[in-house]
Amino acid sequence: MTTAPATIGRVIGQRVKRKEDPRLLTGRGRYLDDVTMPGLLHAHFLRSDVARANITIDVTAAREAEGVVAVFTGEDLNPHIKGDMHTGPAEKGPLTPLSVGYVRHVGDPIALVVARSRYLAEDAADLIDVDYEPLPAVVDFEAALGDTDHLVHPELEDNVCVHMEVPADDELAEIFRTAAHVVTDTIRQHRYIPVPMEPRGIIVDWRPVTNELEIRISTQAPHHVRAAAAKITGVPEHWVHVVMDDVGGGFGQKAFLPRDEQCVILAAHLLGRPVKWVEDRRENLTAATHSRTERVTATLAADEEGHLLGAYIDHLDDAGAYPLYGSGGAGAFVAMLFSGPYRMGKLAWKTTSVYTNTCTRGAYRGPWQMETLAREQMLDLLAHRMGLDPLELRRRNVIHRSELPYTMPSGMEVAEVSPEETLEQAAEMIGYEQFRKDQAAAAADGRYIGVGLALYVEPQPGMGPMGSEPAHIRVAPEGHVDVYLGSGAHGQGIETTTAQIVAEHLGIDPDDVAVHQGDTASTPFAFGTGGSRSGPMLGAAVLETSLAVREKVLAIAGHMLEASPDDLDIAAGVISVAGDPTSSVTLRHVAQTAYHNPAGLPPGMEAGLDISQRYAAPPFAFSNACHVVTVAVDPDLGTVEILRYVVSEDCGVMINPNIVEGQVAGGVVQGVGGVLYEEFVYDDDGNPLTTTFLDYLLPTACEAPDVEYGHIETPALTPGGFKGVGEGGAIGAPPAIVNAVIDALRPLGVELLNQPLTPPRVLEAIDEARASS
Ligand code: MCN
């Protein structure tokens, strides 16, 4: 069922087919590895096989191997970096291009071989002699916190990467002392990872004679790459040219400029010859970025009726071995967003991110979704302890529209959201009351079915480098339109939605709009894609720029037709006087006049039809959704079957409902994978055990549920009223599924269960519950 109330325009809000799909679905996309050039060399990393060790390395034989152009150790490459490595703003800790003398995780890069072919580079890497003196590895992130005997970074005093806190005050202590209900428990989330279909890759061509550094890269942020590459090489920014072709998914892993890519840039800059590096799947699984791996110990206080009075959150996450963007900075959001779409009196928190001898943590779709997982699991626990239905507990606490704007206890303000409406719509769509009856009947038959809810609000940050977004629109002399975007899509359909916004306001067909992205030489500076901002921010930038172009088109047409621009409209590429279609000019004619006949323009108007604008966003906008899922659990096999999956979401005005639903579905499937199938496992010595898709299980089309969508449209107050949607599926799915499985197993005495819900884990939980009952 799709209930799409319409803020429908002629093109905005329509289910326009994705412009990029014919190219991508017929294998005609151009990805990084499709690109080649004369004289291209190929790079391969030699990576540590041991999690923590002192090392010595001998590359003599590799340097003499066939086809090898260079073998870089850290001693060769690292001094070449200008300034510091490019890391995150919040994280402290050492990071060098290649590791020298000491390694910090399996996969840590220790040498880079550049050869005539990838095969020759890999063969030569086999000849490198590494002598490992293994040291005890720090693998368990909870143990790492207090461990000062084994330091991931011996230069530091402890294993702490980031720590922030807002301590509990007397008022909160009093709430916990006197509240009718206080529940405390620990919610855990295991290690799983973004796994883009296209792994990471980069081609770097440094031309010393012309002083040009050209980079092609699979990225989410070409302009960010440009700035970072300029910083680490010392090549002035205006001589760095970054191009991003089609990108086969990023999910956060290709935001910013990762360490390996920085090494390849430095190596190519030293060599003065083009170098390509494309990681293989094993590298992507073991050495790109990992995510989740965190726990929240939460205490919730509620009054007699279950109204939430206060909470204390102790959040701990695993930063992995190195400080990188996304490794520890998300913790504050986990804490500050913990109250989410509910009324809550007080909140205090601390968050710590610790180093371990495991792959570095990076951003993953909904990097702070732990707040939703922890809160929604804790609410179900509270409801269970109180003997209340989880839906009823949520109804008693959810923020009503009349209470907006609502200031969360963290001080963040949420507005233009509809948590109550999405909760009710989702409950209605799933047939919640009837399901409870079916569940009772199933239990009588010895079948275990359950229903799980998850409600959240999701911020789209619009501050700092994410605070503004550009768009450049050019009506070409023949009346077709080019749009240049600083951000670039890595799968989410921005070519289509951008064309829709422009077509809507310029009265043309989306096929008359070409969207150009990913080339720093022709597009305006932008932060890049992430934080579900392209709907709200890029959408607003494109809309405002389209309106500016429209205004100029109407002014020129009015001058040509001797009519007031206010009396004109544009449709099908023709500008005509309202009520008099015979009095008209084409967009092509207007464009020709703008470029070729300045004398035919209104007095004082600048020639041309080419406008570039930048939209400055408010610091935060919020979208929201409710996920509700029903499952059947086989208590003998421990398997979980998803029966129905409903998402009621509110991303404001939908530019394209097909794309919105595709984004929701993609995120949901990643959540399904995370909860039921995926787990990246290390043994106690830090050896990765899940290094292929045989061991690291991804959901396939067979495991993907048919998602049923409900839409509520609460427009943002920003231009267009669009809000973000890209990350939401991956935020709501884990708690909804976990809650449903626990709900199904309650008759067997299961009260709390942590992911991943693999069959052995489910059976173990059932056994434990039976043993303690
Ligand atoms: N959209 C819309 N109407 C709205 C809001 C958005 O039609 N009201 C459209 C947008 O125009 C865009 C898409 O929906 O085409 C997603 O927009 P948005 O929610 O703004 O998210 P972003 O484009 O900023 O994408 C980033 C977000 C994140 S952070 C990750 S991670 C992510 C994702 O979305 N990675 C993806 N979606 C992904 N989808 C694919 N296929 N591959 C990835 O790597």
Side-chain angles (χ1 to χ4, degrees):
M1 178 172 113
T2 296
T3 47
T7 317
I8 301 278
R10 199 179 48 79
V11 193
I12 291 178
Q14 301 298 335
R15 293 178 180 271
V16 173
K17 284 190 178 165
R18 291 193 358 150
K19 283 162 77 77
E20 43 278 87
D21 279 350
R23 175 177 89 243
L24 299 179
L25 299 181
T26 57
R28 286 172 176 80
R30 184 169 59 190
Y31 296 93
L32 190 277
D33 204 22
D34 296 325
V35 177
T36 188
M37 60 179 66
L40 186 62
L41 301 173
H42 298 264
H44 175 71
F45 284 98
L46 179 76
R47 298 179 184 278
S48 174
D49 286 332
V50 178
R52 181 163 173 254
N54 292 318
I55 60 164
T56 51
I57 172 170
D58 180 355
V59 298
T60 318
R63 283 199 171 125
E64 286 160 9
E66 184 199 343
V68 168
V69 174
V71 178
F72 296 102
T73 64
E75 277 157 349
D76 309 314
L77 196 68
N78 298 358
H80 187 63
I81 191 166
K82 304 279 187 303
D84 294 328
M85 287 290 283
H86 193 64
T87 60
E91 297 83 7
K92 62 168 180 161
L95 179 63
T96 57
L98 294 169
S99 288
V100 182
Y102 174 68
V103 286
R104 296 170 180 85
H105 73 101
V106 172
D108 204 346
I110 47 185
L112 183 64
V113 182
V114 182
R116 273 203 325 269
S117 79
R118 167 100 179 229
Y119 303 102
L120 294 172
E122 292 200 20
D123 287 349
D126 286 345
L127 301 176
I128 297 176
D129 192 16
V130 186
D131 193 15
Y132 293 96
E133 180 203 324
L135 300 165
V138 182
V139 182
D140 177 340
F141 73 104
E142 296 187 75
L145 180 59
D147 188 349
T148 46
D149 293 335
H150 308 107
L151 296 178
V152 175
H153 297 283
E155 309 85 327
L156 305 179
E157 286 169 3
D158 53 29
N159 287 317
V160 173
C161 172
V162 176
H163 177 81
M164 289 173 265
E165 83 180 285
V166 173
D169 58 12
D170 292 346
E171 199 185 330
L172 187 58
E174 182 65 9
I175 288 173
F176 287 142
R177 209 178 53 75
T178 56
H181 303 280
V182 178
V183 288
T184 300
D185 225 311
T186 298
I187 309 298
R188 291 170 199 285
Q189 154 150 267
H190 61 296
R191 184 181 295 264
Y192 61 100
I193 49 187
V195 200
M197 206 182 288
E198 182 203 22
R200 295 176 302 147
I202 186 167
I203 297 175
V204 187
D205 186 9
W206 163 239
R207 301 180 206 124
V209 176
T210 52
N211 210 23
E212 286 168 294
L213 182 64
E214 176 150 332
I215 298 174
R216 301 188 91 91
I217 182 167
S218 184
T219 183
Q220 296 174 217
H223 287 275
H224 180 95
V225 169
R226 184 187 197 219
K231 202 177 88 179
I232 63 169
T233 57
V235 175
E237 206 169 358
H238 61 296
W239 289 117
V240 182
H241 177 202
V242 177
V243 178
M244 151 198 166
D245 290 304
D246 287 318
V247 174
F251 309 113
Q253 195 170 73
K254 295 173 185 168
F256 317 113
L257 182 63
R259 177 191 189 190
D260 293 344
E261 285 86 330
Q262 295 185 52
C263 289
V264 180
I265 292 171
L266 292 172
H269 189 222
L270 272 174
L271 288 173
R273 293 174 64 179
V275 179
K276 179 188 219 177
W277 170 70
V278 177
E279 73 180 346
D280 63 23
R281 186 53 69 186
R282 187 175 188 279
E283 281 181 300
N284 182 263
L285 287 170
T286 57
T289 52
H290 287 182
S291 311
R292 312 305 194 221
T293 332
E294 57 203 311
R295 65 118 174 97
V296 161
T297 299
T299 302
L300 281 190
D303 69 11
E304 203 66 60
E305 285 84 38
H307 300 119
L308 298 173
L309 301 173
Y312 184 79
I313 307 306
D314 176 359
H315 172 249
L316 181 71
D317 74 28
D318 186 339
Y322 291 103
L324 205 68
Y325 272 97
S327 49
F333 271 147
V334 172
M336 292 172 70
L337 289 164
F338 182 78
S339 61
Y342 304 105
R343 264 171 262 118
M344 187 182 279
K346 291 281 293 179
L347 175 71
W349 52 270
K350 72 173 173 191
T351 176
T352 312
S353 190
V354 291
Y355 289 119
T356 60
N357 293 117
T358 65
C359 180
T360 291
R361 183 190 188 90
Y364 181 20
R365 205 170 193 170
W368 43 81
Q369 52 81 272
M370 187 64 193
E371 50 81 24
T372 299
L373 180 78
R375 179 189 62 245
E376 296 299 311
Q377 277 199 245
M378 289 300 294
L379 283 181
D380 269 31
L381 187 65
L382 174 65
H384 173 64
R385 298 260 172 93
M386 291 180 62
L388 262 187
D389 189 279
L391 175 59
E392 178 54 29
L393 181 67
R394 286 174 173 80
R395 280 179 170 149
R396 290 184 190 182
N397 285 289
V398 69
I399 299 166
H400 304 306
R401 201 179 274 268
S402 60
E403 295 168 281
L404 298 174
Y406 180 84
T407 305
M408 297 177 175
S410 62
M412 292 174 85
E413 189 176 271
V414 60
E416 286 83 56
V417 289
S418 56
E420 186 177 22
E421 289 83 348
T422 55
L423 178 67
E424 294 304 336
Q425 186 181 55
E428 168 80 25
M429 286 172 69
I430 202 92
Y432 194 90
E433 307 302 336
Q434 182 59 42
F435 182 83
R436 286 293 182 211
K437 292 179 193 148
D438 297 346
Q439 189 180 30
D445 281 353
R447 287 189 303 115
Y448 297 94
I449 60 175
V451 59
L453 288 158
L455 198 60
Y456 62 85
V457 291
E458 178 196 355
Q460 289 99 55
M463 56 207 189
M466 296 173 140
S468 72
E469 191 68 31
H472 176 187
I473 301 181
R474 182 179 72 189
V475 182
E478 290 299 314
H480 297 98
V481 177
D482 293 293
V483 186
Y484 299 87
L485 305 179
S487 290
H490 47 286
Q492 63 277 56
I494 292 169
E495 273 174 67
T496 306
T497 48
T498 297
Q500 283 181 256
I501 296 170
V502 174
E504 175 81 43
H505 296 100
L506 294 189
I508 52 178
D509 192 275
D511 283 342
D512 292 328
V513 182
V515 178
H516 309 277
Q517 44 184 342
D519 186 333
T520 59
S522 57
T523 62
F525 174 82
F527 170 80
T529 316
S532 302
R533 300 160 53 253
S534 75
M537 287 189 58
L538 184 58
V542 171
L543 186 144
E544 287 203 322
T545 313
S546 302
L547 288 177
V549 173
R550 179 189 171 95
E551 195 179 310
K552 188 162 183 182
V553 166
L554 294 183
I556 298 170
H559 190 67
M560 293 165 79
L561 296 169
E562 296 182 0
S564 161
D566 295 341
D567 296 336
L568 300 179
D569 195 17
I570 322 179
V574 177
I575 301 103
S576 49
V577 178
D580 180 11
T582 55
S583 182
S584 63
V585 284
T586 61
L587 182 58
R588 175 178 179 274
H589 195 170
V590 169
Q592 300 258 324
T593 305
Y595 292 107
H596 304 324
N597 181 19
L601 295 174
M605 181 180 277
E606 191 183 316
L609 204 42
D610 188 345
I611 296 184
S612 196
Q613 280 191 184
R614 185 167 280 274
Y615 166 72
F620 284 105
F622 281 89
S623 48
N624 63 280
C626 179
H627 290 218
V628 54
V629 56
T630 56
V631 300
V633 183
D634 185 323
D636 299 318
L637 298 176
T639 49
V640 175
E641 183 193 354
I642 294 179
L643 302 174
R644 286 184 61 201
Y645 202 113
V646 168
V647 178
S648 167
E649 66 74 40
D650 185 346
C651 64
V653 175
M654 289 184 285
I655 306 166
N656 185 327
N658 275 358
I659 289 180
V660 166
E661 291 172 3
Q663 286 292 304
V664 172
V668 165
V669 174
Q670 286 186 302
V672 168
V675 177
L676 298 179
Y677 305 102
E678 298 172 46
E679 181 178 19
F680 194 93
V681 182
Y682 284 101
D683 71 12
D684 292 345
D685 295 323
N687 296 307
L689 304 181
T690 45
T691 61
T692 72
F693 285 159
L694 281 179
D695 313 297
Y696 187 87
L697 288 189
L698 287 172
T700 67
C702 301
E703 285 78 40
D706 271 337
V707 180
E708 301 164 58
Y709 308 95
H711 300 289
I712 306 278
E713 289 193 52
T714 309
L717 298 181
T718 46
F722 319 126
K723 301 183 292 192
V725 71
E727 291 160 289
I731 296 173
I737 298 168
V738 176
N739 281 344
V741 173
I742 298 173
D743 188 60
L745 296 177
R746 286 231 193 274
L748 296 172
V750 173
E751 201 183 37
L752 191 76
L753 194 53
N754 277 310
Q755 309 171 55
L757 303 187
T758 54
R761 193 71 54 92
V762 171
L763 291 177
E764 194 186 358
I766 294 171
D767 287 347
E768 278 169 15
R770 280 183 173 142
S772 64
S773 64

